Amino acid sequence: MIERHIIIDSVDPLTFYGVNNSNLQLIRNLFPKLRMGARDMVITVIGDEHETAAFEAKIKELERYCAERNSLPEDVIIDIVKGAPPKRVATAEGSGVIVYGVNGKPITPRNATQRELVEAIDGNDLTFALGPAGTGKTYLAVAMAVRALKNRATRRIVLSRPAVEAGEKLGFLPGDMRDKIDPYLQPLYDALEDMIPAAKLREYMDGNVIQIAPLAFMRGRTLNDSTIVLDEAQNTTVQQIKMFLTRLGMGSKMIVTGDVTQIDLPRQTTSGLVHAMRVLDGVQGIGRVEFTKKDIVRHHLVQRIVEAYERADAENPTAPPRVFL
């Protein structure tokens, strides 16, 4: 009889063990000759050397499935333990899936332009994604960053946004500076919460594996082995976006998203994104994907709203600029 300690540190414990440890109880039932217990992310098993080794191999297979898909249904546990045909426990590779959401739902490109963006990010170290609100630019960029982290293609995710005041002053918001800045970064938190279980996301953020910060916090850094996303880049100044782009380090990828029709900067200030598109045009190694209103994947009314505002702007070109969040 030997005792093995198996560490499962790449998954959310609630997802892996199941509600009220239902998955763990099922695993116990499938290995009746072994004695086992679990505490935090360590499973202890006692039994014959050959059987405990086989048990560890199956646990690691279950862990890989759970880490990839953010779910571990009972039928999958039974299939893996009993040696299901490969098609029953197939991975995301070659299936078009970028990552699986926290509910196990696959996140995939939803149209040709989104697929073009995935290919551009895969093929370039710096990619610009341009287009109107609701086309999934930010969500897809975050999904690609999460995929790189899960596949160990990157060591860290850095997500950033310029904290541009659009009608409300920072000083009037309650709380300390972190509380004042967080509302600007909420869309990035929302995307992450869709893709990474809460406990695992908290662990990543506490360990600085995932960092979310306003653009001003990027100054002076060199970001190696990282996937870096700059959202709402149209609201950067020329100096800010130049500073950001030059943070790119070895082994890193950078994704910049923005919509040049939603510039919230003072009228006399040139958008850094507009300037960068002109200056970097034709530079080798930089991808550029442009979405149109036909690529909008939010509620069907969003496309009609965008079109209505475009018509209004054409009729009254001196009107204040639009702001879509």
Side-chain angles (χ1 to χ4, degrees), residues 293-307:
K293 60 189 176 186
K294 293 181 180 179
D295 296 311
I296 291 174
V297 292
R298 288 183 186 166
H299 193 285
H300 63 273
L301 277 177
V302 174
Q303 181 174 341
R304 298 177 194 172
I305 291 168
V306 170
E307 291 171 346

Side-chain angles (χ1 to χ4, degrees), residues 4-150:
R4 290 181 186 268
H5 301 280
I6 306 165
I7 299 173
I8 48 171
D9 57 358
S10 64
V11 294
D12 174 61
L14 178 59
T15 304
F16 189 86
Y17 292 138
V19 177
N20 295 324
N21 289 327
S22 58
N23 287 349
L24 186 62
Q25 186 57 50
L26 175 59
I27 294 170
R28 280 197 182 100
N29 294 339
L30 292 170
F31 290 92
K33 295 181 180 180
L34 301 177
R35 287 188 295 150
M36 68 187 71
R39 183 170 183 177
D40 296 328
M41 300 312 292
V42 179
I43 296 177
T44 302
V45 59
I46 301 173
D48 173 81
E49 182 174 1
H50 176 75
E51 290 180 349
T52 56
F55 174 82
E56 181 173 8
K58 292 298 183 181
I59 290 295
K60 286 299 179 182
E61 196 172 344
L62 291 169
E63 181 185 11
R64 285 192 296 273
Y65 183 99
C66 185
E68 179 187 302
R69 302 205 177 196
N70 289 319
S71 67
L72 193 59
E74 290 187 357
D75 59 334
V76 169
I77 295 174
I78 295 170
D79 283 350
I80 290 177
V81 170
K82 293 189 174 181
K87 63 181 181 180
R88 292 289 302 279
V89 292
T91 64
E93 291 184 25
S95 64
V97 176
I98 301 172
V99 291
Y100 288 86
V102 294
N103 56 1
K105 183 179 179 180
I107 297 172
T108 61
R110 296 177 62 180
N111 53 47
T113 312
Q114 288 196 356
R115 286 192 292 274
E116 183 184 349
L117 178 56
V118 170
E119 292 170 1
I121 293 169
D122 282 337
N124 298 279
D125 288 339
L126 172 59
T127 302
F128 288 90
L130 314 172
T135 52
K137 306 180 302 295
T138 300
Y139 196 81
L140 205 63
V142 174
M144 292 295 286
V146 171
R147 186 187 74 174
L149 185 64
K150 287 194 169 190

Side-chain angles (χ1 to χ4, degrees), residues 35-309:
R35 287 188 295 150
M36 68 187 71
R39 183 170 183 177
D40 296 328
M41 300 312 292
V42 179
I43 296 177
T44 302
V45 59
I46 301 173
D48 173 81
E49 182 174 1
H50 176 75
E51 290 180 349
T52 56
F55 174 82
E56 181 173 8
K58 292 298 183 181
I59 290 295
K60 286 299 179 182
E61 196 172 344
L62 291 169
E63 181 185 11
R64 285 192 296 273
Y65 183 99
C66 185
E68 179 187 302
R69 302 205 177 196
N70 289 319
S71 67
L72 193 59
E74 290 187 357
D75 59 334
V76 169
I77 295 174
I78 295 170
D79 283 350
I80 290 177
V81 170
K82 293 189 174 181
K87 63 181 181 180
R88 292 289 302 279
V89 292
T91 64
E93 291 184 25
S95 64
V97 176
I98 301 172
V99 291
Y100 288 86
V102 294
N103 56 1
K105 183 179 179 180
I107 297 172
T108 61
R110 296 177 62 180
N111 53 47
T113 312
Q114 288 196 356
R115 286 192 292 274
E116 183 184 349
L117 178 56
V118 170
E119 292 170 1
I121 293 169
D122 282 337
N124 298 279
D125 288 339
L126 172 59
T127 302
F128 288 90
L130 314 172
T135 52
K137 306 180 302 295
T138 300
Y139 196 81
L140 205 63
V142 174
M144 292 295 286
V146 171
R147 186 187 74 174
L149 185 64
K150 287 194 169 190
N151 292 345
R152 292 180 167 83
T154 194
R155 187 169 53 87
R156 172 175 55 187
I157 294 174
V158 180
L159 308 176
S160 187
R161 260 188 163 207
V164 173
E165 299 174 5
E168 187 170 18
K169 299 296 184 182
L170 278 173
F172 293 143
L173 295 175
D176 57 19
M177 183 55 69
R178 173 70 182 269
D179 295 327
K180 294 174 189 290
I181 288 171
D182 269 358
Y184 292 99
L185 307 175
Q186 192 58 48
L188 302 176
Y189 287 112
D190 290 345
L192 286 172
E193 288 167 357
D194 269 2
M195 302 172 199
I196 302 176
K200 197 66 184 175
L201 178 58
R202 187 162 51 249
E203 177 188 326
Y204 281 148
M205 297 189 72
D206 289 346
N208 285 325
V209 175
I210 295 179
Q211 302 173 17
I212 304 179
L215 183 59
F217 286 48
M218 296 295 105
R219 186 173 299 278
R221 303 181 67 183
T222 299
L223 301 172
N224 296 317
D225 301 314
S226 303
T227 301
I228 312 132
V229 178
L230 174 61
D231 190 34
E232 298 289 349
Q234 76 277 1
N235 288 329
T236 61
T237 64
V238 173
Q239 293 77 18
Q240 284 175 331
I241 201 165
K242 179 182 177 183
M243 177 273 292
F244 177 82
L245 295 176
T246 54
R247 302 306 95 198
L248 186 64
M250 300 299 294
S252 292
K253 280 184 180 286
M254 188 173 278
I255 309 164
V256 178
T257 71
D259 177 5
V260 295
T261 70
Q262 299 189 54
I263 298 171
D264 301 321
L265 297 168
R267 287 185 176 274
Q268 68 274 18
T269 303
T270 300
S271 166
L273 180 60
V274 173
H275 184 265
M277 289 296 90
R278 185 170 65 250
V279 170
L280 301 177
D281 186 37
V283 174
Q284 187 175 359
I286 297 178
R288 174 172 173 169
V289 177
E290 296 192 29
F291 292 81
T292 69
K293 60 189 176 186
K294 293 181 180 179
D295 296 311
I296 291 174
V297 292
R298 288 183 186 166
H299 193 285
H300 63 273
L301 277 177
V302 174
Q303 181 174 341
R304 298 177 194 172
I305 291 168
V306 170
E307 291 171 346
Y309 272 92

